Amino acid sequence: MNELFEPVKIGKLELRNRLVMSPMTRSRVVDAGRVNELTVEYYAQRAEAGLIITEGIQPSVIGQGYIWTPGLHDADQTEAWRAVTGAVHARGGRIFAQIMHSGRVGHPYLYPDDALPVGPSPIASGEKLFTPEGMLDHPTPRELTLEDIARTIEDFAAAARNAIEAGFDGVELHGANGYLIQQFLADGSNRRTDAYGGSIPNRIRFAAEVVRAVADAIGPERVGLRVSPGGAANGVSESDSEELYRALLRELAPVGLAYLHVMELGDRALTRTLRAEWPGALILNPHPTPEALSSPAAPEDGAAALREGVADAIAFAQLWLANPDLPARIRAGGPYNEADRATFYGGDHRGYTDYPTLESGV
């Protein structure tokens, strides 16, 4: 596993290893989008990662898609994140904030004025929102106007500026998993007939404008982009994934981003194609075959991807969730704690900050 422990440069950061903590929604922020002491402890425990990417953080009120998720759109939220970044940096870690606008993956339940969620087109996701009172169907979203689009792009940039103010080393833009950026990319959710819909150059326009606005706001070396080519999460569908993402990467290559983060969905050939298109650092959540999608990515998968040259760093999710001392466990060849799915979302410290380390006992 030596490949996983080699240093690597991401943007202007020198990371001490190639183990990246993938963003994972944990839904434990119950106070007006402000993170708390449990959040601080959770991320500080995992500061041995080369890079931590936080859970998705909404850049605006209407950008929220789930209950109990954090924000970066007001001063109190920004100030609360300072404790997290300070704790991670005190342990020698690096941390990026993932900015996630959920788009149509939302519900009036989440918004103070009972507003509809928004999307590129008035097409519902077909999914549901969990609430303590029960599951609620996502409604048909309100189609974003051109003025709305401009305002939403500025929301991303403002949240990025807040992230730097809060002490983050950079931001990752969530362009995957069926959220707003991918909703614009995917022809199944984007049926617009204006400059933001129809052809591939039009469908990549929103993503490119968000990336450039954020890069202009905080510097491209502090910006990453996450994508999930071919992904169907939250009801999106893409009929032209390879052509679509090749065009997107060609458009973004000159910007000089810190990294591209690819959620691999069983198609290593497509990953190789994207690697050939992308001149910068590439972080991969490795699932090289369809069969690999049935289980979380393993250290062996990451080391193999590094040896193959399709990635510069490897993002793990459940392994980090359940193993705060993941680097030590990989070096020792295990054992690994099993993630408790019942405590993934919501709740208290259980299944969040109480996973044992090797030192404390398995």
Side-chain angles (χ1 to χ4, degrees):
M1 300 292 176
N2 289 340
E3 297 90 347
L4 294 169
F5 294 96
E6 295 172 353
V8 65
K9 189 172 184 180
I10 299 290
K12 292 186 176 181
L13 298 178
E14 295 285 348
L15 306 186
R16 55 188 168 188
N17 60 54
R18 298 176 186 240
L19 295 165
V20 175
M21 179 176 166
S22 193
M24 292 174 282
T25 292
R26 303 305 309 275
S27 294
R28 281 171 166 83
V29 179
V30 297
D31 182 18
R34 293 188 288 268
V35 295
N36 50 47
E37 291 180 359
L38 268 181
T39 319
V40 175
E41 182 180 3
Y42 171 72
Y43 285 114
Q45 285 176 342
R46 291 155 177 81
E48 289 296 318
L51 176 65
I52 292 172
I53 306 170
T54 71
E55 61 210 278
I57 305 172
Q58 55 258 16
S60 60
V61 172
I62 202 68
Q64 184 172 358
Y66 302 97
I67 60 172
W68 308 325
T69 54
L72 257 175
H73 53 83
D74 69 33
D76 289 341
Q77 294 166 352
T78 302
E79 182 62 28
W81 277 111
R82 285 182 183 274
V84 174
T85 60
V88 170
H89 290 152
R91 297 192 180 190
R94 302 288 195 174
I95 184 167
F96 271 40
Q98 189 193 66
I99 302 178
M100 183 180 97
H101 192 304
S102 296
R104 69 180 188 175
V105 180
H107 195 279
Y109 178 95
L110 298 168
Y111 314 127
D113 56 358
D114 294 325
L116 286 172
V118 297
S121 299
I123 303 170
S125 74
E127 303 294 331
K128 298 176 183 292
L129 169 72
F130 168 83
T131 77
E133 294 81 32
M135 303 297 288
L136 302 176
D137 291 330
H138 288 157
T140 299
R142 179 177 66 81
E143 180 174 293
L144 289 162
T145 66
L146 294 180
E147 292 77 12
D148 293 330
I149 289 173
R151 185 163 50 250
T152 301
I153 292 169
E154 175 51 33
D155 287 340
F156 275 98
R161 288 189 289 266
N162 287 343
I164 300 306
E165 176 69 20
F168 283 101
D169 297 293
V171 304
E172 176 178 282
L173 302 173
H174 200 338
N177 292 39
Y179 300 123
L180 184 62
I181 291 175
Q182 191 182 15
Q183 289 163 28
F184 271 92
L185 293 172
D187 51 356
S189 51
N190 183 351
R191 304 289 175 81
R192 301 177 73 96
T193 58
D194 61 9
Y196 290 91
S199 67
I200 284 178
N202 283 359
R203 280 186 280 129
I204 68 173
R205 188 183 308 276
F206 179 74
E209 289 183 355
V210 170
V211 167
R212 287 195 171 92
V214 173
D216 288 345
I218 66 172
E221 73 283 355
R222 289 174 161 174
V223 182
L225 172 68
R226 190 183 200 210
V227 295
S228 53
N234 288 307
V236 298
S237 60
E238 300 168 352
S239 67
D240 49 9
S241 296
E242 181 172 338
E243 185 182 2
L244 174 67
Y245 286 93
R246 290 180 69 184
L248 177 64
L249 299 196
R250 288 173 180 171
E251 179 71 19
L252 296 180
V255 179
L257 297 181
Y259 64 81
L260 177 73
H261 181 182
V262 177
M263 185 174 179
E264 189 174 46
L265 297 170
D267 189 346
R268 181 54 56 88
L270 178 56
T271 303
R272 293 191 192 103
T273 296
L274 300 182
R275 168 74 279 184
E277 291 285 356
W278 187 248
L282 191 148
I283 298 172
L284 183 69
N285 180 243
H287 292 89
T289 65
E291 294 73 25
L293 292 171
S294 62
S295 58
E300 295 80 5
D301 302 319
L306 292 174
R307 286 194 298 270
E308 187 181 339
V310 294
D312 300 290
I314 303 297
F316 296 111
Q318 286 192 37
L319 275 177
W320 276 113
L321 184 154
N323 299 277
D325 59 341
L326 182 60
R329 290 182 182 268
I330 293 175
R331 287 187 184 278
Y336 301 101
N337 297 321
E338 289 290 329
D340 177 14
R341 298 190 66 87
T343 58
F344 276 8
Y345 307 109
D348 53 20
H349 69 285
R350 289 168 290 187
Y352 191 52
T353 59
D354 65 345
Y355 282 104
T357 64
L358 284 174
E359 286 187 356
S360 66
V362 177

